[in-house]
Amino acid sequence: MTAPRSAASGLAQCGISVVVPVFNESEVLAEFHRRLSDVLAALALPSEVVFVNDGSADQSLAIIRALRQQDPRITIVDLSRNFGKEVAMTAGLHHARGAAVVVIDADLQDPPELIPQFVRLWQERGYDVVYGQRTSRAGESVLKRTTAYLFYRLIQHTNRVRMPADVGDFRLMSRRAVDALNQLTETQRFMKGLFAWIGFPQIAFPYERDRRYAGNTKFNYWRLWTFALEGITSYTTFPLKAATYLGLLIAGVAFFHAGWIVLKTLLFGEPVPGYPSMMVVILMLGGVQLMGLGVLGEYVGRMFNETKGRPLYFLNEYTPAELPEASGEEVV
């Protein structure tokens, strides 16, 4: 699934690839591309824009093709169906050919105008990863901001590899960082965790996140919950450890209480409590056991998916950008 890269292209030596996963974003694509084009023109570096159509049901693909007629820098990666944003980003990284690769959403919540500052930190200070760190989240409800805050802090404290807080997918990565990511083949992909896992010198760039330019978010609360569950179980084994510790705690309390009941009966002849207390204990233990089985099932399900060895995605179309020839100069 990896696109061939031409060592003769100027893009491979010193250019920028911008990977844009797209799912039903027809209302924003024209404005997004206009703003992005202005940014890339000011950079004065060879560039390509990799639009990854993730099975959109609207006119997104038709708009991307129309933009391609006007701008030969556009690469079209059209997936055979909707595989999800994590796989769409992966497909874009597989096909990006630049010396540095920027990942950005099309909804304009992450301003393309910040890309030159990302490039400066990569070129002048040698960082392999420059990630945008949100200082505000305009247009989002209190509940969404609160749950996002708690999710990032939970992830931070349950894994040996620390994932930066309040960081999305908006980032720049050097070629060696992208090549490292492309070697990770697991099907259950939590990209924010993988971005942190590869290591290399990384730096945060704080910014204020804007409202969506148009359209509606594709992540309702149920999808956010499943995404959080996917992230936790893909990135850390903490839930398994927590289930073990909870089981040990309950077993310890149960043994202590059983000893106390025996002692009271021998010393004071008190009768053992009957049906109500027994039902409470049975239901509590049953609930804890089912919860533990559920956690175990999540991990077994991921192992099951990994053992199938299926490709991450299939393509309907791959139309590469028309890239400039090599200039002989290389950015360090």
Side-chain angles (χ1 to χ4, degrees), residues 129-147:
V129 180
V130 182
Y131 53 83
Q133 190 166 45
R134 304 158 182 163
T135 58
S136 65
R137 302 167 69 100
E140 296 183 357
S141 66
V142 174
L143 177 60
K144 187 173 181 179
R145 292 198 301 269
T146 302
T147 52

Side-chain angles (χ1 to χ4, degrees), residues 7 9-17 43-47 97-101 116 118-128 172-176 326-332:
S9 71
L11 190 73
Q13 292 189 14
C14 63
I16 304 295
S17 296
L43 279 176
L45 290 173
S47 60
R97 292 171 284 178
V101 179
F118 286 16
V119 171
R120 178 179 57 81
L121 289 170
W122 163 62
Q123 287 183 324
E124 298 178 7
R125 299 179 59 182
Y127 286 102
D128 285 281
L172 176 146
M173 291 172 287
S174 69
R175 170 47 53 190
R176 72 168 179 171
S327 63
E329 299 179 357
E330 186 170 350
V331 174
V332 178

